Amino acid sequence: MRRPGGWWRTKSTPEKVETYTRWSFHFFGVIEVFALGVSAYGRTGAGLATVLCLLVVAHAAVCMLVSSRALDWTRGRRPQPVRLMWTLVVVSAVVSATAVVIAERGPAGEVETAAGSVYGGVLCFAAGVITLGVSGRRRMVAVVGGFAVGAGLLTFPLEMPVLASVVLAGLVMVTGGFLAITSIFSLWLLNAVYALDDAKETRARLAVAEERLRFGRDLHDVMGRNLAVIALKSELAVQLSRRGRPEAVEQMIEVQRIAQESQREVRDVVRGYREAALEVELAGARGVLTAAGITAQVTGETAGLPAEVQSALGWVVREATTNVLRHGDAKKVAVTVRMSGGRVVLTVENDGVAETTGDGPSAETAGTAGTAHTGGSGGSGLAGLRERLSAVDGTLEAGPAGRGVFRLTAAVPLPDATAGAALEVAS
């Protein structure tokens, strides 16, 4: 059994606002019935009051139907209720004309007041409701203005003074305009709530997409270097095995260790807990480059650096090492970590940049920067490194640094206390 009010709790916030808006428009009809129809019983006889009340009830019912269909039209669920709006115009004219006849032929006195209230009131409510079904300010103003002019013209059979007709037309204009503005503002508010809900959903989808990109980038960074090392050591093991050298076994053992390490890192990526420690990455870079026959020189002190700074610079070392192995032809690589002006600066230089011609690869393509990945990858290479460094307000520069030399420089600012401690360690 459903709990009381369960239908309301199952609605989303925009649906709740829409329900509130719809019933607010219906409440306008209820106000019309009580303000114009029921109040007639205190102004005239029961017979005429009943006639006026029934006319008002019929008019209010049509207003409710038009407002509901117009609301569905604004939300794109139904076509524009043109026929219903014209029906409301006709019903409003009939009710107003009937009120004029009652005021003319009925007993003088209070019946004129009651009929006059019905006459002007139904036109005001109709003007406010019909504006829900039109678009554009000019059309809305035309609707309200048309009802105001019609209210003035229909007073001629009553032989009212011109000034009184003008005042009545002005009252219809003001009251109908107020109801129209209130109705349009309610629709604007409803559409704004739906737009905010759509924006919230879009933001959630973007967050999911961003997380997928982060996962892909991290997976690339983890497997890139390790697969390059595995390929390198496997090739070395094949050559040693063909020569009957026992060192082939040691190389394959190292391949096995790297593969197991890769499995662990992939699991950490999935869990989202993996960080790249700068000291570990420097040691790994030295070992990998040496195994590839590249002279590796690593200098600098990493003690005292914040974990987020070490992680960001560790990724720089990893990406640079991976691309030296993949895309360069380096014989020597120098990695330097130093403190300068409250910043930690990491420099990676290699001599793997070939002399270029007009048709050859650029220095940036052959260097350490991982530029083979920058064109459209979005999650690796320079783009990925700059994204990581920007999280710690760091910068990245890469490019040729002399004849046949490529340099990559990453700089990350340090907090004052950390910078002072690191400078003491470095000194």
Side-chain angles (χ1 to χ4, degrees):
M1 182 176 180
R2 295 182 61 181
R3 297 173 57 186
W7 66 275
W8 177 260
R9 285 189 290 270
T10 58
K11 292 179 176 289
S12 63
T13 299
E15 291 173 343
K16 290 179 180 178
V17 176
E18 180 178 348
T19 302
Y20 168 79
T21 303
R22 190 181 301 274
W23 283 103
S24 297
F25 292 152
H26 291 169
F27 188 66
F28 284 166
V30 176
I31 293 176
E32 179 182 359
V33 170
F34 278 91
L36 304 178
V38 176
S39 64
Y41 283 97
R43 298 177 181 178
T44 185
L48 290 177
T50 301
V51 173
L52 292 174
C53 187
L54 291 176
L55 291 174
V56 171
V57 169
H59 185 268
V62 178
C63 286
M64 291 181 183
L65 182 58
V66 171
S67 62
S68 181
R69 295 294 177 86
L71 180 59
D72 290 336
W73 170 66
T74 59
R75 295 305 311 156
R77 302 191 189 106
R78 292 177 180 269
Q80 188 177 16
V82 178
R83 292 184 179 180
L84 272 177
M85 290 190 295
W86 280 111
T87 301
L88 179 58
V89 172
V90 173
V91 171
S92 301
V94 170
V95 173
S96 299
T98 304
V100 169
V101 172
I102 292 175
E104 273 191 330
R105 301 184 179 182
E110 293 183 350
V111 67
E112 295 181 356
T113 304
S117 299
V118 172
Y119 170 77
V122 295
L123 295 178
C124 292
F125 280 101
V129 170
I130 289 181
T131 53
L132 293 172
V134 298
S135 58
R137 295 181 181 178
R138 293 183 179 180
R139 294 181 179 178
M140 295 175 183
V141 173
V143 168
V144 178
F147 273 92
V149 172
L153 294 177
L154 286 175
T155 57
F156 284 104
L158 296 177
E159 298 180 355
M160 293 179 60
V162 176
L163 180 59
S165 299
V166 172
V167 171
L168 180 60
L171 288 175
V172 173
M173 173 71 77
V174 173
T175 307
F178 174 77
L179 292 175
I181 292 173
T182 302
S183 302
I184 297 303
F185 178 77
S186 298
L187 285 183
W188 175 84
L189 182 61
L190 176 62
N191 291 330
V193 171
Y194 270 106
L196 289 175
D197 188 68
D198 292 340
K200 181 180 179 181
E201 183 178 353
T202 301
R203 184 176 62 181
R205 288 198 299 265
L206 289 176
V208 172
E210 183 179 355
E211 181 62 18
R212 288 175 178 173
L213 290 175
R214 182 201 67 80
F215 180 81
R217 179 194 64 200
D218 288 355
L219 193 61
H220 165 271
D221 293 340
V222 165
M223 300 304 297
R225 186 195 66 174
N226 292 350
L227 290 176
V229 175
I230 288 174
L232 178 66
K233 287 187 172 292
S234 298
E235 182 179 357
L236 179 58
V238 170
Q239 297 297 330
L240 292 174
S241 178
R242 288 176 178 175
R243 298 174 186 176
R245 301 283 296 275
E247 291 88 347
V249 176
E250 297 178 0
Q251 295 298 325
M252 292 309 298
I253 292 175
E254 183 68 11
V255 168
Q256 183 183 24
R257 184 194 66 79
I258 296 174
Q260 293 172 346
E261 181 70 14
S262 299
Q263 288 180 329
R264 183 189 64 79
E265 290 187 342
V266 168
R267 286 194 295 268
D268 290 341
V269 168
V270 174
R271 296 190 186 104
Y273 297 133
R274 184 178 53 86
E275 294 291 344
L278 179 57
E279 185 175 355
V280 174
E281 295 299 328
L282 289 174
R286 183 189 294 110
V288 169
L289 293 172
T290 301
I294 301 173
T295 302
Q297 182 181 0
V298 180
T299 58
E301 181 61 50
T302 62
L305 295 178
E308 62 272 12
V309 174
Q310 290 205 36
S311 177
L313 294 179
W315 285 115
V316 175
V317 173
R318 173 173 289 209
E319 184 68 21
T321 304
T322 300
N323 287 286
V324 167
L325 296 173
R326 284 184 173 181
H327 312 296
D329 188 20
K331 299 297 186 290
K332 181 179 179 181
V333 176
V335 182
T336 305
V337 181
R338 58 186 175 87
M339 309 298 168
S340 175
R343 301 184 305 167
V344 55
V345 181
L346 171 69
T347 304
V348 182
E349 289 186 357
N350 76 94
D351 58 356
V353 180
E355 296 299 323
T356 60
T357 64
D359 300 325
S362 67
E364 194 170 346
T365 304
T368 346
T371 52
H373 300 289
T374 59
S377 67
S380 59
L382 288 179
L385 293 180
R386 287 196 174 99
E387 182 181 342
R388 292 183 185 277
L389 290 172
S390 65
V392 290
D393 297 327
T395 59
L396 181 70
E397 296 179 0
R403 188 179 181 84
V405 176
F406 189 91
R407 177 183 299 161
L408 183 146
T409 304
V412 179
L414 293 172
D416 294 337
T418 305
L423 287 174
E424 290 180 4
V425 173
S427 62

